[in-house]
């Protein structure tokens, strides 16, 4: 029974006792954050909040903290445990190449099931109840200023939809948007994300078009690699640390179509943060998660499709030759991410439901709502990681490790040096490349128990021997790396060292009481009168 839209999801939250309506007047500037932060940090992340009386926005409603606990994350994906999603993925991947007729017959339901998840385009939907081309303003919505030193108001839970100019495939990514004025906003796709790659591909095309009058596919590779390539100039400029608003000199003006859906059913919202391979459409992932296809409608002013039941849809363009200072913004690292140059989104049309509900989140010091989304990603991706790293037993991204700072993994070690092989595999696996510190332990260590990890890891290592450094891309939010987006990473091999790894000393046993003595004391326990 998939949720068809945000409203069904809100009703389900309310039925489950997981929603609080707030009727007292609250300011979207800072005040919503302070309230939500207290709720996030109380036991169990307490509940989702529906603010119904927002200062300066009479009649508006704002939903926050919808994913902010293990229970709500399970409700969002309609499972008892997230392992069920992992299990469904595993079942899918288990399909062997059919050997005979019977095997082929067995495969049919699986293929039919896959077909059930593809998005469907429908002629219209609730997101078209109100269509505004003129007199529109991003400031109509109760967009938050989250933290005191934020550069302004930020849309924090937008599903940003772009199209790959090469393949025509759509991508949905969650990239925050700083509101500059009624019609413009920042487009914070970090350079390693799929939206940013679509933008660069548009730049390459526009550059090739202006230099050679034809798209890059028609230009000989030797020519397109010339250093005077204006697309390179723009990419290089994006690599700079910061600056004011700039028009990128020498880059042909051009536009890239972008649509943004805010307030979708929870499977779509969640799919926008999932670190999926670039060529897998998130609409399909959402269909898989909710076991029902996503219904899409065409946009009014751009050639993109958006979820038909979205509360709010922003349509518009990113100009290829324009970058603008974005940030600072109080980020999920617990620190402000610094200002940097990002593309600018110009709104051409806003469509929305009647009385739209604005869905948002705040990030800051963990634990917060996004931490629970990250935990869901961790559970769901484990079986996928095992495809390329079969020795993997379990992983833990502790919430205070803010996704990219710390990953603890246990492995079944079968040959010398395997822990280092696993580190390198993780550093080359999609967005796991950002992991600043990877700790590898043997399979007998429970990675979910950070106390046990601390005890065993720091007992087992000879730091100079067991720490591996490497250089590579780091998260844009890393404020300590030597350069933005580029820095070092560290792996700790805390597995037991073998003679074949040059460790000749004996390895001590872990202290464990024998079963006989334990049973004896169990029997006597009451008599001892200690409790
Ligand atoms: C609340 C929230 C806010 C996020 N904001 C950003 C952002 O501003 N920029 C960004 O590049 N990634 C951001 N992310 C992470 C991306 O959504 C995530 O990396 C996603 O996998 C990107 O999708 P893509 O692989 O299709 O590009 C955010 C994630 C969450 C949960
Ligand atoms: Mn994607």
């Amino acid at each position: 029974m998939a949720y068809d839209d945000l409203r069904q999801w809100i009703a389900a939250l309310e039925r489950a006792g997981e929603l609080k309506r707030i009727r007292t007047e609250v300011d979207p500037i800072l005040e919503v954050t302070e309230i939500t932060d207290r709720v996030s940090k109380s036991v169990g992340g307490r509940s989702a909040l529906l603010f119904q009386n927002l200062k300066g926005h009479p009649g508006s409603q704002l939903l926050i903290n919808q994913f902010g606990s293990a229970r709500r994350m399970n409700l969002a994906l309609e499972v008892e445990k997230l392992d069920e999603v992992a299990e469904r993925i595993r079942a899918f991947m288990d399909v062997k190449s059919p050997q005979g007729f019977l095997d082929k017959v067995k495969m049919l339901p699986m293929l039919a099931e896959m077909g059930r998840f593809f998005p469907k385009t429908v002629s219209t939907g609730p997101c078209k109840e109100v269509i505004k081309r003129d007199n529109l303003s991003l400031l109509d919505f109760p967009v938050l200023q989250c933290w005191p030193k934020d550069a302004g108001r930020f849309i924090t839970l937008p599903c940003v939809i772009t199209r790959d100019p090469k393949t025509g495939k759509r991508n949905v990514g969650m990239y925050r948007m700083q509101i500059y004025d009624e019609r413009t906003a920042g487009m914070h796709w970090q350079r390693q994300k799929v939206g940013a790659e679509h933008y660069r591909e548009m730049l390459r095309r526009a550059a090739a078009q202006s230099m050679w009058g034809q798209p890059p596919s028609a230009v000989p590779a030797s020519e397109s690699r010339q250093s005077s390539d204006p697309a390179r100039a723009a990419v290089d400029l994006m690599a700079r640390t910061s600056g004011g608003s700039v028009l990128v000199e020498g880059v042909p003006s051009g536009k890239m179509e972008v649509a943004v859906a805010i307030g979708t059913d929870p499977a779509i919202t969640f799919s926008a943060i999932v670190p999926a391979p670039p060529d897998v459409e998130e609409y399909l992932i959402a269909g898989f998660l909710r076991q029902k296809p996503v219904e899409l409608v065409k946009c009014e002013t751009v050639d993109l499709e958006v979820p038909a039941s979205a509360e709010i849809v922003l349509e518009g363009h990113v100009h290829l030759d324009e970058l603008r200072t974005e940030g600072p913004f109080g980020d999920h690292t617990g620190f402000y991410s610094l200002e940097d140059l990002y593309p600018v989104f110009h709104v051409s049309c806003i469509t929305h439901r009647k009385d739209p509900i604005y869905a948002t989140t705040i990030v800051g010091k963990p634990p917060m709502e996004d931490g629970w989304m990250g935990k869901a990603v961790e559970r769901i991706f484990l079986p996928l990681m095992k495809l390329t790293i079969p020795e993997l037993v379990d992983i833990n991204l502790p919430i205070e490790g803010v996704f990219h700072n710390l990953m603890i993994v246990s492995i079944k070690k079968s040959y010398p040096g395997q822990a280092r092989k696993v580190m390198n595999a993780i550093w080359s696996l999609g967005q796991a490349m950002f992991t600043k510190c990877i700790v590898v332990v043997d399979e007998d260590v429970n990675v979910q128990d950070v106390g046990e990890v601390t005890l065993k890891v720091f007992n087992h290592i000879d730091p100079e021997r067991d720490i591996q450094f490497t250089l590579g891309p780091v998260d844009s939010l890393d404020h300590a790396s030597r350069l933005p987006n580029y820095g070092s990473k560290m792996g700790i091999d805390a597995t037991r060292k073998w003679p074949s790894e040059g460790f000749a000393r004996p390895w001590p046993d872990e202290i464990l009481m024998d079963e006989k003595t334990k049973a004896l004391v169990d029997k006597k326990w009451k008599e001892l009168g200690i409790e």
Side-chain angles (χ1 to χ4, degrees):
M1 284 293 287
Y3 309 112
D4 283 334
D5 58 14
L6 188 76
R7 294 173 192 211
Q8 279 191 10
W9 165 230
I10 290 174
L13 284 169
E14 194 151 36
R15 276 197 306 278
E18 291 281 340
L19 183 89
K20 275 261 154 26
R21 289 170 186 270
I22 296 180
R23 298 191 176 91
T24 309
E25 191 189 60
V26 171
D27 198 333
I29 308 234
L30 304 180
E31 216 184 334
V32 168
T33 298
E34 179 58 19
I35 295 165
T36 309
D37 191 32
R38 290 188 196 188
V39 170
S40 295
K41 299 201 170 33
S42 59
V43 180
R46 221 162 258 165
S47 50
L49 304 173
L50 187 64
F51 288 92
Q52 296 183 300
N53 184 355
L54 291 145
K55 191 171 171 190
H57 298 270
S60 284
Q61 299 191 78
L62 178 154
L63 178 72
I64 196 163
N65 209 24
Q66 57 178 305
F67 298 109
S69 72
R71 172 147 194 253
R72 286 201 291 290
M73 202 57 242
N74 290 346
L75 280 171
L77 301 179
E78 299 168 277
V79 291
E80 295 285 324
K81 282 184 81 187
L82 291 165
D83 295 333
E84 289 173 35
V85 182
E87 194 48 52
R88 281 215 314 266
I89 296 173
R90 207 174 299 125
F92 244 95
M93 295 181 321
D94 252 7
V95 182
K96 299 183 210 59
S97 328
Q99 300 296 317
F101 177 71
L102 212 61
D103 281 347
K104 283 186 182 132
V105 172
K106 277 191 202 147
M107 247 180 91
L108 287 176
M110 196 66 100
L111 293 176
E113 190 166 328
M114 200 62 208
R116 286 202 299 132
F117 306 143
F118 282 97
K120 272 204 288 220
T121 304
V122 295
S123 60
T124 188
C127 73
K128 304 284 191 188
E129 283 169 3
V130 177
I131 299 177
K132 285 183 185 162
R133 289 166 192 260
D134 314 298
N135 281 329
L136 52 82
S137 173
L138 294 169
L139 302 167
D140 286 348
F141 306 105
V143 179
L144 304 183
Q145 179 185 338
C146 300
W147 297 103
K149 294 184 180 170
D150 282 0
R153 294 180 165 209
F154 286 80
I155 301 174
T156 55
L157 208 60
C159 300
V160 176
I161 299 129
T162 54
R163 195 185 294 282
D164 186 337
K166 267 197 224 148
T167 63
K169 280 192 185 159
R170 293 162 298 211
N171 189 72
V172 188
M174 184 157 295
Y175 318 120
R176 72 173 186 234
M177 298 167 69
Q178 176 182 346
I179 297 198
Y180 296 128
D181 56 41
E182 288 87 348
R183 283 180 167 264
T184 53
M187 187 44 80
H188 190 256
W189 46 51
Q190 292 158 8
R191 66 208 64 232
Q192 310 89 347
K193 306 297 171 74
V194 176
E197 178 52 25
H198 290 179
Y199 165 76
R200 280 190 297 267
E201 184 56 26
M202 290 296 292
L203 269 172
R204 287 182 202 111
R205 278 165 190 250
Q209 197 92 40
S210 78
M211 284 175 91
W212 296 283
Q214 48 196 324
S217 51
V219 175
S222 57
E223 272 182 63
S224 69
R225 260 189 255 111
Q226 283 178 1
S227 57
S228 59
D229 181 353
R232 268 237 57 86
V235 173
D236 286 347
L237 187 78
M238 277 191 75
R240 271 177 28 189
T241 352
S242 67
S245 292
V246 280
L247 284 184
V248 190
E249 254 177 68
V251 172
S253 55
K255 288 177 178 181
M256 167 182 176
E257 299 187 325
V258 180
V260 180
I262 302 168
T264 60
D265 83 77
I268 297 176
T269 310
F270 179 70
S271 73
I273 72 137
V274 161
D279 274 347
V280 181
E281 283 198 359
E282 280 80 1
Y283 287 144
L284 177 60
I285 297 174
F288 177 84
L289 289 172
R290 66 205 287 275
Q291 307 270 297
K292 195 177 166 186
V294 172
E295 292 197 341
L296 302 172
V297 287
K298 290 200 173 303
C299 286
E300 301 296 308
T301 57
V302 292
D303 179 25
L304 286 166
E305 294 79 31
V306 288
S309 66
E311 294 290 328
I312 300 164
V313 174
L314 314 176
E315 302 179 6
H317 298 86
V318 159
H319 296 181
L320 298 180
D321 57 351
E322 182 188 21
L323 298 174
R324 186 165 169 176
T325 302
E326 200 269 1
F329 174 71
D331 229 311
H332 77 257
T333 55
F335 293 85
Y336 286 93
S337 49
L338 303 175
E339 53 180 56
D340 199 354
L341 290 173
Y342 277 92
V344 182
F345 174 72
H346 296 259
V347 186
S348 54
C349 177
I350 296 181
T351 77
H352 62 78
R353 296 180 69 140
K354 282 192 200 114
D355 304 320
I357 301 171
Y358 176 71
T360 191
T361 189
I362 50 162
V363 292
K365 281 190 192 146
M368 282 231 183
E369 183 174 4
D370 63 319
W372 299 104
M373 298 164 93
K375 277 281 151 196
V377 168
E378 173 200 294
R379 286 299 97 193
I380 292 169
F381 269 71
L382 183 57
L384 294 169
M385 288 178 76
K386 284 182 181 175
L387 276 184
T388 37
I389 316 173
E391 58 271 67
L392 212 56
V393 175
D394 199 7
I395 61 172
N396 180 15
L397 292 107
I399 278 189
E400 294 76 9
V402 306
F403 310 144
H404 60 264
N405 283 344
L406 177 60
M407 184 188 292
I408 307 165
V409 307
S410 55
I411 63 165
K412 188 173 171 55
K413 178 165 154 180
S414 315
Y415 49 82
Q418 197 167 0
R420 291 179 195 245
K421 173 259 186 182
V422 167
M423 294 169 196
N424 288 307
I426 292 169
W427 283 323
S428 51
L429 196 68
Q431 291 183 40
M433 69 174 155
F434 298 129
T435 315
K436 199 193 288 203
C437 182
I438 301 172
V439 179
V440 186
V441 294
D442 285 311
E443 61 181 321
D444 64 321
V445 181
N446 174 10
V447 297
Q448 308 303 335
D449 181 344
V450 176
E452 184 184 343
V453 169
T454 306
L455 181 80
K456 293 191 174 163
V457 166
F458 297 99
N459 266 316
H460 287 359
I461 56 167
D462 175 63
E464 195 208 23
R465 181 195 60 201
D466 293 331
I467 291 178
Q468 162 100 46
F469 292 107
T470 192
L471 277 171
V474 300
D475 199 289
S476 300
L477 303 188
D478 190 311
H479 56 248
S481 56
R482 64 205 65 196
L483 289 168
N485 302 296
Y486 178 65
S488 70
K489 304 173 225 194
M490 178 175 87
I492 302 179
D493 173 2
T495 59
R496 176 177 170 172
K497 299 304 159 333
W498 294 359
S500 51
E501 294 173 316
F503 187 76
R505 296 177 62 199
W507 192 264
D509 287 333
E510 192 177 336
I511 302 172
L512 291 169
M513 184 47 72
D514 65 81
E515 290 305 321
K516 200 175 138 207
T517 311
K518 280 205 230 171
L520 194 73
V521 172
D522 279 349
K523 234 187 266 166
K524 279 195 189 165
W525 191 251
K526 272 212 174 118
E527 186 190 325
L528 295 173
I530 292 170
E531 270 175 15

